[in-house]
Amino acid sequence: MVVVLKAKTREEDIRKLTEELKKEGIDVCPVIGKELTVLGIIGDTTKIDPLKIEAHDIVEKVIKVQEPFKKANRVFHPENTVVDVNGRKIGGNRIAMIAGPCSVESEDQIKFIAEEVKKSGASFLRGGAFKPRTSPYSFQGLEYDGLELLKIAREKTGLPIVTEIMSAKDIEIFERDVDIIQVGARNMQNFDLLKELGKINKPILLKRGFAATIEEFLMSAEYILAGGNNNVILCERGIRTFETYTRNTLDLSAIPAIKKLSHLPVIVDPSHATGKRFMIAPLAKAAVAVGADGLIIEVHNDPEKALSDGPQSIKPEDYDALVKELKPIANAVGREI
Amino acid sequence: MVVVLKAKTREEDIRKLTEELKKEGIDVCPVIGKELTVLGIIGDTTKIDPLKIEAHDIVEKVIKVQEPFKKANRVFHPENTVVDVNGRKIGGNRIAMIAGPCSVESEDQIKFIAEEVKKSGASFLRGGAFKPRTSPYSFQGLEYDGLELLKIAREKTGLPIVTEIMSAKDIEIFERDVDIIQVGARNMQNFDLLKELGKINKPILLKRGFAATIEEFLMSAEYILAGGNNNVILCERGIRTFETYTRNTLDLSAIPAIKKLSHLPVIVDPSHATGKRFMIAPLAKAAVAVGADGLIIEVHNDPEKALSDGPQSIKPEDYDALVKELKPIANAVGREI
Amino acid sequence: MVVVLKAKTREEDIRKLTEELKKEGIDVCPVIGKELTVLGIIGDTTKIDPLKIEAHDIVEKVIKVQEPFKKANRVFHPENTVVDVNGRKIGGNRIAMIAGPCSVESEDQIKFIAEEVKKSGASFLRGGAFKPRTSPYSFQGLEYDGLELLKIAREKTGLPIVTEIMSAKDIEIFERDVDIIQVGARNMQNFDLLKELGKINKPILLKRGFAATIEEFLMSAEYILAGGNNNVILCERGIRTFETYTRNTLDLSAIPAIKKLSHLPVIVDPSHATGKRFMIAPLAKAAVAVGADGLIIEVHNDPEKALSDGPQSIKPEDYDALVKELKPIANAVGREI
Amino acid sequence: MVVVLKAKTREEDIRKLTEELKKEGIDVCPVIGKELTVLGIIGDTTKIDPLKIEAHDIVEKVIKVQEPFKKANRVFHPENTVVDVNGRKIGGNRIAMIAGPCSVESEDQIKFIAEEVKKSGASFLRGGAFKPRTSPYSFQGLEYDGLELLKIAREKTGLPIVTEIMSAKDIEIFERDVDIIQVGARNMQNFDLLKELGKINKPILLKRGFAATIEEFLMSAEYILAGGNNNVILCERGIRTFETYTRNTLDLSAIPAIKKLSHLPVIVDPSHATGKRFMIAPLAKAAVAVGADGLIIEVHNDPEKALSDGPQSIKPEDYDALVKELKPIANAVGREI
């Protein structure tokens, strides 16, 4: 951490601030220039709140030089984390293929799609039971009934199930019934929920908030890790920008960035990022090429009738073709599908 | 709603889609051009999900022409909503002055600040008991003890208290103990929480998510209103942009926009928007000039020692001076402080 | 400037880099922690390119602590710059009122509007002769004929004229014929044009690019100042964000920010920022309240027939009413209109 | 185009507007609902300025349903454009590999790098002679001398040269000496320059402005095409978002979007987008996988000594390894390198 002091700060005030900072268990090294004085802060600064220092009248600004996350940080955990989901791995050499409808709609629908995507090579089934919708008047999901249908589809296909949690009050049920608990983009900073998820041992699929920086994303993972749950899988799903042609802008740079900063696996969701069916295939290919550990893709047998997210869902036959096209790209970057 | 069809769509497919749409209880009026066919959708479209229509292969895009919010919409509720908080009004002629520390830190602190801001003319006391923090290692608030201290300060000064809720599980306590329940920017789309707040009758101060459009902001208010709670106060607190000089970019255009679109009162939080003490006064003045119904400002007796948000807190004497400076501006726009 | 080195950098490499840096005429002060080494750079760093340092393999990142602009910097020029335009001042106590149509359309139009806004209290006339348009098929302005019409309106009313330059090849004509040369948002980083404008002595109205940070904005001013032309007036006109309700998001925080960082006068353009007529008055009031040195507002006698920017133009009678409403706000912040 | 009228608009006013619109040579088809009236506009609307319609008091908003670009539009030109540069094609099956230093620095440097990248498989040489720099105090390029050095490198290697133009006054020299004239991101809406480039017949490499929408990008291409020059190559190079980890956010979704909307070839610049060396390889792979027609990559023999953009330059040996790794990905998407 580097503390930049205001011009013409008196020596006495510098001494006072230095002493105050040292009380926090860190070392302070002043760099005194003609026009500018900065204090270099040495030691473990993850627990120091830069805003507390910036609140001093003599401080111009505080600049962080170390990442504020610790357990999520590759520096302290150099090897990749591989999350084990009932024996299937996410974060290893094999690219995790997660597929299924946006919403669970009926037993027939979820069973049919689960079998189709399994045939094509998917190893996890996604499906929304609780749906976060911008409008209170939109379909909100089948809720607990949807969970039951997912369980039936799992029994039928053996595919572990991934579904979104929307309230901490459901954690017990999700812990019992679900294989990977998804935290949606809108809840990425629902700290109350993150803390509760840190107390269990289930794999958590944490989606990046559409306005979250990579650092904030990793800090949200840190909340779960700090609670003791190491099974965190990150998911890039597009960020909000000025561009309106796509729903969001898929930030594929985030994949190499996260791989450098953290040891956690990171997958990509091209369906939510773009909102457009014709873009899924090219962006899925790009995601594999850039180094993602997995893909979560919306597949629906009848997108025109889908209760949610129809425009971005592809049909089972398109998914099948896509998986085939992805394989040589995975091989080209030393991975398997 | 306007449905733009793809070029060269067959008449038969247009007829099929038209029939399907009519089943939803709306009227369809086709506009057929040489290069382009569009379907005008007439009737109550608030319950139609545009994505369901867009999922059809023959549909190029769906364009909304009506606002998707209904209870929050000024069209259906032309007069201003005035929220009553224990006899004090928000949304009327008098500008609501809400002030207090970012976090409640101790009995002495909150009592002292409450008395100071009251003397200066504040009519509501703010103070965080539960704090949403980016880092799990930062001070998370005094939590339930903080609520108790707020109650003591209220008893001492008579100022109604405003504080943030972070979990639906606390609603009962907040309903009993708090005068205005704040929903923070990060929880603006925590729909589970919004639904629960729709069931009670307390005033809710809903902050705009830092990446929420004005329409999404009003849709979140709609969640609360749709549940039956009409006491919603909106709060603009800055949006995330590419500019890094300020913490966020205060979007003052949102005030006249919301005033036009909705009947709900809207206040401004210049403290969180900028993160910088020297900007509070000019932006508070601008907020009053632009037509805001209130101001929520962080005041701390010793910002350098504040447990959170020190850099953006002003001292009681600065707050006192500011209130005096705001009065002629309020008068110039036909309001009072 | 602070140079953060990669973990485990060898002492020898630090020494080599330090020596290399010292050759550039700056001092280097190393701060060596257990996990992290940073180099504090002392001296005049405005001419050091941080990217050249960051290109070294051992460097993690380079953090600037001083503003990169010098002539535009308030530190080296504490008193406000007041620009003199034929005896009228911009940047002093009186708020500069600039008004007129988006485009010059005819002699009658520009003369009529000029006389109207003059009666209402405007002291400068704006009007576009060369128009930057997104589409090559839109009206591109009357060009040189437009300049002639502006001169006629100036002769008739005595109002100095402000109009946009789009090409360096026109500088000679603009220098001779125009009182304030405007550089539009899209040309804010047309460095070739800025360099040429630095060589003349005319007042330049430099608009902020809609995606320019405050620092980049001041660096563009620095280009003009560095060339020897000190008559730079800045103009905030909205930045591009994710919000689509308004054309751009007017960044009023930029006014106190620029006032702190620089000595240059800064005015506000609410017309282009919002693109909506009903927002002009509230945002103009906010701009005066926040401390702007002037307002540039589009006024058109017949907005429905305007050849450009009709939706954001107000009528002369609205402008007249607005100026009256602005006066008490100006007085409240110690200014005059 | 769809014109949404304000609620309660009188029939007479609708009739008047309809007549006015019909005079522009378009057809108007009214859709009259209970709460809302919209006018469907049929015919060639590319020359209609939506703002002129929106300026009417009775108009709520105008919604475009057709793309405003015509010559750049795939609808009117279904087959891909392939640009011929001295016999080498851009836009065909072979992926165009453009490489070279950010700035031309010396004869030895440009000759050495040109030979190296040619050996690795590059077919075009890039190198900046005129450099747009945020700071007037940064290295501005060797200018005309730089052009001469590029010509020497071309003679030596046979590689066509790509370099940026910064001023319309240089067009004659660029037309004579350069093989592909680059328009930088900051000049994407320098309409004066675009118009001049439309009058010549050289290939133009048009970079997307970092805050330009895809539509605005295509409209800038339209300026060149409308002038008669069909040899336009587009280049995605990152957009400005709230994320600060990377310099800009590479928008790879723009590639399939542009391929759908337009027939023009589009290449990717991962160097400027990220500003970070370690990201070039993964993003170059993603760009090929997503369907880009080419890659422009900064290569420097000694990045630590580069006069500009060192942190994002890779070494010749890294470029060589990258080209080898890209080949199987190109093959996987049916292309060649």
Side-chain angles (χ1 to χ4, degrees):
Chain A
M1 206 171 272
V2 173
V3 180
V4 182
L5 301 183
K6 283 190 183 142
K8 291 170 198 160
T9 297
R10 292 176 312 159
E11 250 182 73
E12 194 197 319
D13 290 328
I14 300 178
R15 219 193 48 241
K16 265 173 64 184
L17 177 61
T18 303
E19 273 159 27
E20 200 185 312
L21 289 172
K22 283 183 172 170
K23 277 187 205 138
E24 310 263 358
I26 47 178
D27 259 353
V28 178
C29 173
V31 181
I32 299 172
K34 225 179 291 177
E35 278 159 14
L36 200 75
T37 295
V38 306
L39 305 178
I41 307 291
I42 304 167
D44 177 10
T45 57
T46 48
K47 279 160 202 182
I48 304 289
D49 183 353
L51 292 181
K52 275 195 69 171
I53 303 177
E54 207 166 299
H56 287 78
D57 260 345
I58 62 167
V59 174
E60 182 67 39
K61 57 182 162 187
V62 175
I63 297 163
K64 291 184 295 180
V65 292
Q66 275 179 303
E67 282 84 25
F69 42 90
K70 208 156 177 161
K71 294 191 167 233
N73 202 322
R74 193 177 276 279
V75 171
F76 307 114
H77 187 306
E79 69 287 0
N80 285 337
T81 282
V82 178
V83 174
D84 186 306
V85 186
N86 308 347
R88 298 176 192 228
K89 317 283 193 199
I90 299 183
N93 192 56
R94 181 169 293 274
I95 289 170
M97 296 297 287
I98 308 173
C102 178
S103 298
V104 181
E105 296 170 12
S106 71
E107 186 174 331
D108 282 356
Q109 176 239 23
I110 191 70
K111 268 164 52 184
F112 177 77
I113 298 176
E115 286 177 326
E116 289 294 311
V117 299
K118 187 187 176 188
K119 266 189 264 168
S120 302
S123 37
F124 301 88
L125 176 66
R126 63 148 291 147
F130 297 86
K131 301 297 307 169
R133 303 303 298 272
T134 306
S135 167
Y137 310 121
S138 298
F139 172 61
Q140 309 273 317
L142 295 182
E143 307 194 339
Y144 301 104
D145 293 343
L147 284 188
E148 291 307 314
L149 299 181
L150 281 169
K151 284 159 68 180
I152 292 171
R154 173 175 57 194
E155 202 171 65
K156 185 120 188 109
T157 58
L159 295 181
I161 54 180
V162 186
T163 197
E164 179 169 350
I165 194 165
M166 282 185 60
S167 171
K169 74 173 188 292
D170 292 326
I171 284 189
E172 218 173 313
I173 292 170
F174 271 68
E175 193 184 1
R176 191 191 61 208
D177 287 351
V178 166
D179 302 297
I180 301 179
I181 303 176
Q182 179 178 317
V183 177
R186 290 182 179 85
N187 278 315
M188 192 203 83
Q189 291 195 320
N190 181 338
F191 299 121
D192 186 62
L193 179 61
L194 299 179
K195 282 179 189 170
E196 294 302 320
L197 293 171
K199 295 176 186 162
I200 62 174
N201 207 28
K202 271 276 153 182
I204 308 297
L205 179 62
L206 179 66
K207 289 196 144 189
R208 181 179 181 184
F210 55 66
T213 62
I214 292 169
E215 186 177 300
E216 288 168 344
F217 189 19
L218 290 170
M219 286 309 283
S220 285
E222 187 82 9
Y223 259 93
I224 301 171
L225 297 168
N229 185 350
N230 294 317
N231 301 303
V232 178
I233 303 148
L234 303 170
C235 180
E236 160 63 32
R237 45 75 72 215
I239 57 173
R240 183 158 274 184
T241 69
F242 61 82
E243 177 60 67
T244 55
Y245 185 79
T246 42
R247 181 153 74 173
N248 291 122
T249 299
L250 185 64
D251 179 12
L252 286 180
S253 321
I255 309 304
I258 288 171
K259 285 281 165 200
K260 184 163 198 272
L261 294 168
S262 179
H263 50 88
L264 295 172
V266 55
I267 71 169
V268 168
D269 177 347
S271 309
H272 283 88
T274 63
K276 284 182 194 298
R277 200 176 296 152
F278 80 93
M279 286 188 163
I280 308 306
L283 286 168
K285 292 174 193 175
V288 169
V290 91
D293 294 308
L295 286 170
I296 180 163
I297 291 178
E298 289 190 359
V299 177
H300 197 286
N301 51 320
D302 189 1
E304 303 194 353
K305 295 268 184 307
L307 292 179
S308 57
D309 278 357
Q312 73 200 33
S313 297
I314 60 173
K315 295 184 184 173
E317 55 267 34
D318 301 325
Y319 186 68
D320 193 66
L322 174 58
V323 176
K324 286 190 180 67
E325 288 169 18
L326 290 171
K327 284 182 184 187
I329 298 176
N331 294 341
V333 295
R335 307 287 285 262
E336 275 174 80
I337 284 186
Chain B
M1 206 171 274
V2 173
V3 179
V4 183
L5 300 183
K6 281 189 184 143
K8 295 170 195 159
T9 296
R10 293 178 310 160
E11 250 182 74
E12 193 198 319
D13 290 328
I14 299 178
R15 219 195 46 242
K16 265 171 65 183
L17 178 62
T18 303
E19 273 159 29
E20 200 186 311
L21 290 171
K22 282 182 171 169
K23 280 188 203 137
E24 310 262 1
I26 47 179
D27 261 352
V28 178
C29 174
V31 181
I32 299 174
K34 223 177 296 176
E35 277 158 14
L36 201 74
T37 295
V38 305
L39 305 178
I41 307 290
I42 304 166
D44 178 9
T45 57
T46 47
K47 278 158 203 184
I48 304 290
D49 183 353
L51 291 182
K52 272 194 73 173
I53 304 176
E54 207 166 300
H56 287 76
D57 259 345
I58 61 167
V59 175
E60 181 68 37
K61 56 183 164 186
V62 176
I63 296 163
K64 292 183 294 180
V65 293
Q66 272 179 306
E67 282 83 25
F69 42 90
K70 207 156 178 162
K71 295 194 166 228
N73 202 323
R74 191 177 279 277
V75 170
F76 308 112
H77 186 306
E79 68 288 1
N80 285 338
T81 283
V82 178
V83 175
D84 186 304
V85 186
N86 309 346
R88 300 177 191 226
K89 316 283 192 201
I90 299 184
N93 193 56
R94 181 170 293 275
I95 288 170
M97 297 297 286
I98 308 172
C102 178
S103 299
V104 181
E105 295 170 12
S106 70
E107 185 175 331
D108 282 357
Q109 176 240 24
I110 191 69
K111 270 164 50 183
F112 177 77
I113 297 176
E115 286 177 324
E116 289 294 311
V117 298
K118 186 187 177 187
K119 266 188 267 169
S120 302
S123 37
F124 301 88
L125 176 65
R126 63 148 290 151
F130 297 85
K131 301 297 305 170
R133 304 302 298 273
T134 305
S135 168
Y137 310 120
S138 297
F139 173 61
Q140 308 273 320
L142 295 182
E143 307 193 341
Y144 301 103
D145 293 343
L147 285 187
E148 291 308 313
L149 300 181
L150 281 169
K151 284 158 69 180
I152 292 172
R154 173 175 57 193
E155 200 172 67
K156 185 119 189 111
T157 59
L159 295 180
I161 55 181
V162 186
T163 197
E164 179 169 351
I165 194 166
M166 282 185 60
S167 172
K169 73 174 191 289
D170 292 327
I171 284 188
E172 216 174 313
I173 293 171
F174 272 68
E175 193 183 1
R176 190 190 64 209
D177 286 352
V178 167
D179 301 297
I180 300 179
I181 302 177
Q182 179 180 316
V183 177
R186 290 182 180 85
N187 280 315
M188 191 203 85
Q189 290 194 322
N190 181 338
F191 299 121
D192 186 65
L193 180 61
L194 299 179
K195 282 179 189 171
E196 295 301 320
L197 292 170
K199 296 176 186 163
I200 62 175
N201 207 27
K202 271 278 151 179
I204 309 297
L205 178 62
L206 179 67
K207 291 196 143 190
R208 180 179 183 185
F210 55 69
T213 61
I214 291 168
E215 185 177 300
E216 288 168 343
F217 189 19
L218 290 170
M219 286 309 284
S220 285
E222 187 81 10
Y223 259 92
I224 302 171
L225 298 168
N229 185 350
N230 294 317
N231 300 303
V232 177
I233 304 148
L234 302 170
C235 179
E236 160 63 33
R237 43 76 72 213
I239 58 173
R240 182 159 276 183
T241 69
F242 63 81
E243 177 60 67
T244 56
Y245 185 80
T246 42
R247 181 154 74 172
N248 291 121
T249 298
L250 186 64
D251 179 11
L252 286 179
S253 322
I255 309 306
I258 288 170
K259 286 282 166 203
K260 184 162 198 273
L261 295 168
S262 180
H263 51 87
L264 295 172
V266 53
I267 70 168
V268 169
D269 176 349
S271 308
H272 282 88
T274 62
K276 286 183 193 295
R277 200 176 295 151
F278 80 92
M279 286 189 164
I280 307 306
L283 286 168
K285 292 175 192 173
V288 169
V290 91
D293 294 308
L295 286 169
I296 179 162
I297 291 178
E298 289 190 358
V299 178
H300 197 288
N301 52 320
D302 189 1
E304 303 196 351
K305 295 267 184 309
L307 291 179
S308 58
D309 279 356
Q312 72 200 34
S313 297
I314 59 174
K315 293 183 186 175
E317 55 267 34
D318 300 325
Y319 185 69
D320 192 67
L322 173 59
V323 176
K324 287 191 178 68
E325 289 169 17
L326 290 171
K327 285 182 184 187
I329 298 175
N331 295 341
V333 294
R335 307 289 284 263
E336 275 174 80
I337 286 185
Chain C
M1 205 172 274
V2 173
V3 179
V4 183
L5 301 183
K6 282 191 185 142
K8 295 170 195 159
T9 296
R10 291 178 311 161
E11 249 181 75
E12 195 197 318
D13 289 327
I14 300 179
R15 218 193 48 240
K16 265 171 65 184
L17 177 61
T18 304
E19 272 159 29
E20 199 185 313
L21 290 171
K22 283 184 171 168
K23 279 186 204 140
E24 310 264 359
I26 49 179
D27 260 351
V28 179
C29 173
V31 180
I32 300 173
K34 226 180 292 176
E35 279 158 13
L36 201 75
T37 295
V38 305
L39 307 178
I41 307 291
I42 305 167
D44 177 9
T45 57
T46 47
K47 279 160 203 184
I48 304 289
D49 183 353
L51 292 181
K52 273 195 72 170
I53 304 176
E54 209 166 296
H56 286 78
D57 261 343
I58 63 167
V59 174
E60 182 67 39
K61 54 182 163 186
V62 175
I63 297 162
K64 291 184 294 178
V65 293
Q66 273 180 304
E67 282 82 26
F69 41 89
K70 209 158 177 162
K71 294 192 169 230
N73 203 322
R74 192 177 278 278
V75 170
F76 308 113
H77 186 305
E79 69 286 0
N80 285 337
T81 282
V82 178
V83 174
D84 186 304
V85 186
N86 309 347
R88 299 175 191 229
K89 316 282 191 199
I90 299 184
N93 194 56
R94 181 168 292 276
I95 288 170
M97 296 298 285
I98 308 172
C102 178
S103 298
V104 180
E105 297 169 11
S106 70
E107 184 173 333
D108 282 357
Q109 175 239 27
I110 192 68
K111 270 165 50 184
F112 178 77
I113 298 176
E115 285 176 326
E116 289 295 310
V117 300
K118 186 186 177 186
K119 267 190 264 167
S120 302
S123 36
F124 301 87
L125 175 66
R126 63 147 290 149
F130 297 85
K131 301 297 306 170
R133 305 302 298 272
T134 306
S135 168
Y137 310 120
S138 299
F139 173 61
Q140 309 273 320
L142 295 182
E143 308 194 337
Y144 301 103
D145 293 343
L147 284 188
E148 290 308 312
L149 300 181
L150 281 169
K151 285 158 68 179
I152 293 172
R154 173 175 58 194
E155 200 172 67
K156 183 119 190 110
T157 59
L159 294 181
I161 54 180
V162 185
T163 197
E164 180 169 351
I165 194 166
M166 283 186 60
S167 172
K169 73 176 188 289
D170 293 326
I171 285 188
E172 216 173 315
I173 292 171
F174 272 67
E175 192 183 2
R176 188 191 64 207
D177 286 351
V178 165
D179 302 297
I180 301 180
I181 302 177
Q182 179 180 317
V183 177
R186 291 181 179 85
N187 279 316
M188 192 203 84
Q189 292 194 321
N190 181 338
F191 299 122
D192 186 65
L193 180 61
L194 299 180
K195 282 180 190 171
E196 295 301 320
L197 293 170
K199 295 176 186 162
I200 63 174
N201 207 28
K202 270 279 151 178
I204 308 297
L205 179 60
L206 179 66
K207 291 197 142 190
R208 182 181 181 183
F210 56 67
T213 62
I214 293 169
E215 186 176 300
E216 288 168 344
F217 189 19
L218 291 170
M219 287 309 283
S220 284
E222 187 82 11
Y223 260 92
I224 302 170
L225 298 168
N229 184 350
N230 295 315
N231 300 304
V232 178
I233 303 149
L234 303 171
C235 179
E236 161 63 33
R237 44 76 71 214
I239 58 173
R240 182 158 273 184
T241 69
F242 62 83
E243 178 59 66
T244 54
Y245 185 80
T246 41
R247 181 153 74 172
N248 291 123
T249 298
L250 186 64
D251 180 11
L252 286 180
S253 321
I255 309 306
I258 289 170
K259 284 283 168 201
K260 185 162 197 274
L261 294 168
S262 180
H263 50 87
L264 295 172
V266 55
I267 71 170
V268 169
D269 176 347
S271 309
H272 282 87
T274 64
K276 285 183 193 297
R277 202 176 293 152
F278 80 92
M279 287 191 161
I280 308 305
L283 286 169
K285 292 175 191 173
V288 169
V290 91
D293 292 309
L295 285 170
I296 179 162
I297 291 178
E298 289 190 358
V299 177
H300 197 286
N301 51 321
D302 189 0
E304 304 194 352
K305 294 269 185 311
L307 291 180
S308 58
D309 279 356
Q312 72 200 34
S313 296
I314 61 174
K315 294 185 185 171
E317 54 267 35
D318 301 323
Y319 185 69
D320 193 65
L322 174 58
V323 176
K324 287 191 177 66
E325 288 169 19
L326 288 171
K327 286 184 181 184
I329 298 175
N331 294 340
V333 295
R335 307 287 285 264
E336 277 173 80
I337 285 185
Chain D
M1 206 172 272
V2 174
V3 179
V4 183
L5 300 183
K6 282 189 184 143
K8 293 168 197 161
T9 296
R10 292 177 311 161
E11 250 181 74
E12 193 197 319
D13 290 327
I14 299 178
R15 219 194 46 242
K16 264 172 64 185
L17 178 59
T18 303
E19 274 159 29
E20 199 185 313
L21 290 172
K22 282 181 172 170
K23 277 187 207 140
E24 309 264 0
I26 47 178
D27 260 352
V28 179
C29 173
V31 181
I32 298 174
K34 224 178 294 177
E35 278 159 12
L36 201 73
T37 294
V38 305
L39 305 178
I41 307 290
I42 303 168
D44 177 11
T45 57
T46 46
K47 278 159 203 184
I48 304 290
D49 183 352
L51 293 181
K52 274 195 73 172
I53 305 176
E54 207 166 298
H56 287 77
D57 259 344
I58 62 167
V59 175
E60 182 67 38
K61 56 183 162 186
V62 176
I63 297 164
K64 291 182 295 179
V65 293
Q66 274 180 303
E67 281 83 26
F69 42 90
K70 211 159 175 160
K71 296 193 166 229
N73 202 323
R74 192 177 278 278
V75 170
F76 308 113
H77 186 306
E79 68 286 0
N80 285 336
T81 283
V82 178
V83 175
D84 186 304
V85 186
N86 309 347
R88 300 177 190 226
K89 317 282 191 200
I90 299 184
N93 193 58
R94 182 170 292 278
I95 289 171
M97 297 296 287
I98 308 172
C102 179
S103 299
V104 180
E105 297 170 11
S106 70
E107 184 175 333
D108 283 355
Q109 176 240 22
I110 192 68
K111 269 166 50 186
F112 177 77
I113 298 177
E115 287 178 324
E116 289 294 311
V117 299
K118 186 188 176 188
K119 266 189 265 167
S120 302
S123 36
F124 300 88
L125 174 66
R126 63 148 290 150
F130 296 85
K131 301 297 307 169
R133 304 303 298 272
T134 306
S135 167
Y137 310 121
S138 297
F139 173 61
Q140 309 272 320
L142 294 184
E143 308 193 340
Y144 303 103
D145 293 343
L147 285 187
E148 291 307 314
L149 299 181
L150 280 169
K151 284 159 69 180
I152 294 172
R154 173 174 56 193
E155 200 171 66
K156 184 121 190 109
T157 60
L159 295 180
I161 55 180
V162 186
T163 197
E164 179 169 352
I165 193 166
M166 284 184 60
S167 172
K169 74 174 189 290
D170 293 327
I171 284 187
E172 214 173 317
I173 293 170
F174 272 67
E175 193 184 1
R176 189 190 64 209
D177 286 351
V178 166
D179 302 296
I180 301 179
I181 302 178
Q182 178 179 315
V183 177
R186 290 182 179 86
N187 278 317
M188 191 204 83
Q189 291 193 321
N190 181 338
F191 299 121
D192 186 64
L193 179 61
L194 299 179
K195 282 179 190 171
E196 294 301 320
L197 293 170
K199 296 176 188 163
I200 61 173
N201 207 28
K202 270 277 152 179
I204 308 296
L205 178 62
L206 179 66
K207 291 195 142 192
R208 181 179 181 184
F210 54 69
T213 62
I214 291 168
E215 185 176 302
E216 289 168 343
F217 188 18
L218 290 171
M219 287 308 284
S220 285
E222 187 82 9
Y223 259 93
I224 301 170
L225 298 168
N229 184 350
N230 295 316
N231 302 302
V232 177
I233 304 149
L234 304 170
C235 179
E236 159 65 33
R237 45 74 72 214
I239 57 173
R240 183 159 273 186
T241 69
F242 62 82
E243 177 60 68
T244 55
Y245 185 79
T246 41
R247 181 154 72 173
N248 291 122
T249 297
L250 185 64
D251 180 11
L252 286 180
S253 321
I255 309 305
I258 289 170
K259 285 280 165 200
K260 185 163 197 272
L261 295 168
S262 180
H263 51 87
L264 295 172
V266 54
I267 70 169
V268 169
D269 176 348
S271 309
H272 283 87
T274 63
K276 286 183 193 296
R277 201 176 295 151
F278 80 92
M279 287 190 163
I280 307 307
L283 286 168
K285 292 174 193 175
V288 169
V290 92
D293 293 309
L295 286 170
I296 179 163
I297 292 179
E298 290 190 0
V299 177
H300 197 286
N301 52 319
D302 189 1
E304 304 195 352
K305 295 268 184 309
L307 291 179
S308 58
D309 280 355
Q312 74 201 33
S313 297
I314 59 174
K315 294 184 185 173
E317 54 267 35
D318 300 324
Y319 185 68
D320 192 66
L322 174 58
V323 176
K324 287 191 178 67
E325 289 169 17
L326 289 171
K327 286 183 182 185
I329 298 176
N331 294 341
V333 295
R335 307 287 285 264
E336 275 174 81
I337 284 185

